């Protein structure tokens, strides 16, 4: 593969990569910022573009920032730590505009300025770590050629190497207590000879760790095990006992034996070791119960600002029937309920709907209804005939956006306002194009939930055309 010398990085591109041009070739490069002058080794070449990596820096950009994390450049989670946060926000604002205008091809108002995250570090309330006996070896370790006997690791999966885990000593995305908990589990497991999971062989006791915290000061830890031997459950409980004694801050300590080929546990029975089987988050005067299987926005403080935008766009007076599509655990539905006559939430996951009902109950909210099932199957003409035509629809779909059948049903329902919350402006733009014959985009508010990553949320207000 060719080497390009003295190349100037000119822009940021999708997925957190940087962009350069060599003759007529577009080159995508990770872990660079605009203004860097570099030598590039091409790793993958297509007809009109190629992917490359830096083999030498000649000049560092004036806008470059020193990454706070020692794992930057290998972990791959925070691709923009070398870019000042103010520059990240500019890139995200432009990303939303580019995708809505280029893909949507519809009339757009002037965008509101992106809302930056309240915190740029330790902003997450949930992280998951894989445990593996196949530690990822850095290029330096491979080049040194020394035999590494201890390949057990707890950390993050490496992109493109599904069975490899890059060991994490300190992650800056969550309160530092989570680092202490994770590292203590690692040290105890290694000291006691506990086996780490082998994804290819599907064996090994210590498999996965999920850590959550909340703005009420509570902590939840769920450890996934894979029982292979008769005494594995006893070993697992000994680890749990050690963690409970070492960290009294943990208010919910849980575990599960996962014998499946993947680390998902939504269909498994979670065992409570000690404490409660849930924690609570608060938002304004509301409390939200969060269990190990619950979905809750992972940036608590910024989620509040996101929901405030959605509530503002809904412009509720107390008389409206609101449909909250893809309601999850009913956070938005309950958040706007006191400004509405009735809120109906629909969600695919039955457990999430049960959480939504509980969250209404514990907050004394009696004007919500929740239904579980596939959106395109539930939201139809019969459903609307039974429950009423919505005045406002709030929709917060997954990254894939809304199914065309859902869009068509929304069009037939003809709410006066649609508030579209999206974690993927590209699919949002596609859906806005489908809605364009009937709805005009009135407001656009980007919201940054994930500093140091290229991900951005966007809230759009659509009004029914007269």
């Amino acid at each position: 593969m060719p080497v390009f010398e003295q190349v100037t990085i000119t822009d940021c591109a999708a997925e957190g990569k940087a962009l350069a041009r060599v003759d007529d070739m577009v080159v995508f490069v990770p872990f660079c910022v605009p203004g860097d002058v570099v030598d590039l080794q091409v790793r993958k070449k297509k007809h009109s573009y190629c992917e490359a990596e830096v083999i030498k820096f000649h000049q560092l950009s004036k806008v470059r920032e020193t990454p706070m994390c020692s794992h930057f450049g290998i972990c791959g989670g925070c691709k923009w730590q070398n870019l000042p946060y103010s520059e990240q926000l500019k890139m995200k604002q432009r990303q939303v505009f580019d995708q809505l205008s280029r893909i949507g091809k519809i009339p757009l108002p002037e965008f509101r300025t992106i809302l930056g995250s309240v915190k740029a570090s330790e902003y997450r309330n949930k992280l998951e770590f894989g445990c593996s006996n196949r530690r990822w070896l850095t290029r330096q370790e491979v080049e040194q050629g020394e035999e590494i006997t201890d390949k057990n690791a707890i950390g993050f999966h490496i992109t493109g190497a599904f069975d490899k885990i890059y060991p994490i000593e300190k992650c800056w995305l969550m309160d530092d207590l989570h680092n202490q908990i994770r590292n203590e589990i690692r040290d105890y497991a290694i000291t006691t000879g506990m086996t780490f999971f082998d994804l290819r062989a599907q064996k090994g006791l210590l498999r996965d760790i999920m850590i959550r915290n909340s703005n009420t000061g509570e902590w939840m830890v769920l450890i996934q095990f894979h029982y292979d031997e008769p005494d594995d459950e006893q070993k697992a409980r000994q680890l749990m006992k050690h963690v409970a004694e070492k960290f009294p801050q943990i208010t919910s300590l849980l575990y599960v034996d996962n014998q499946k080929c993947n680390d998902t546990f939504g269909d498994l029975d979670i065992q409570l070791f000690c404490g409660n089987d849930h924690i609570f988050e608060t938002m304004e005067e509301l409390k939200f119960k969060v269990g190990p299987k619950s979905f809750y926005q992972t940036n608590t403080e910024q989620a509040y600002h996101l929901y405030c935008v959605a509530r503002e766009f809904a412009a509720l007076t107390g008389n409206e029937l609101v449909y909250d599509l893809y309601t999850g655990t009913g956070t938005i539905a309950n958040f706007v309920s006191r400004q509405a006559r009735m809120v109906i939430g629909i969600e695919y996951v039955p457990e999430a709907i049960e959480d939504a009902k509980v969250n209404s109950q514990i907050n004394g909210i009696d004007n919500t209804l929740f239904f579980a099932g596939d959106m395109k199957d539930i939201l139809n003409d019969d459903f609307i005939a039974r429950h009423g035509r919505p005045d406002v629809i709030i929709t917060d779909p997954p990254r894939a956006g809304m199914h065309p059948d859902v869009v068509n049903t929304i069009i037939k329902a003809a709410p006066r306002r649609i508030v579209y919350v999206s974690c993927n402006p590209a699919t949002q733009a596609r859906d806005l194009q489908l809605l364009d014959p009937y709805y005009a985009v009135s407001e656009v508010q980007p919201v940054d939930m994930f500093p140091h990553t290229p991900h951005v949320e966007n809230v759009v207000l659509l009004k029914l055309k007269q």
Side-chain angles (χ1 to χ4, degrees), residues 425-449:
T427 55
Q428 183 184 47
R430 178 204 64 201
D431 293 343
L432 294 180
Q433 188 179 59
L434 296 175
L435 291 163
D436 180 62
Y438 311 93
Y439 285 87
V441 174
S442 175
E443 297 280 358
V444 179
Q445 175 65 75
V447 181
D448 184 28
M449 302 286 287

Side-chain angles (χ1 to χ4, degrees), residues 188-189 192-195 205-206 223 225-243 255-257 259 271 273:
Y188 177 90
T192 59
M194 185 175 288
T195 56
L205 181 55
L206 189 60
I223 303 180
F225 297 101
H226 185 277
Y227 298 158
D228 299 308
E229 305 295 335
D231 61 345
D232 274 352
E233 183 171 7
Q234 181 183 354
K235 293 178 181 177
R237 292 186 64 84
Q238 288 172 344
L239 170 59
M240 303 296 288
K241 182 174 183 292
H242 177 79
V243 172
Y255 68 104
V256 63
D257 173 27
Q259 296 290 324
Q271 304 298 314
F273 185 82

Side-chain angles (χ1 to χ4, degrees), residues 10 17 64 71 122 131 134 197 229 233 244 264 334 419:
T10 58
K17 295 176 182 176
R64 171 178 281 271
H71 303 303
E122 297 188 353
C131 308
R134 294 173 179 265
F197 194 62
E229 305 295 335
E233 183 171 7
T264 60
N334 285 301
V419 180

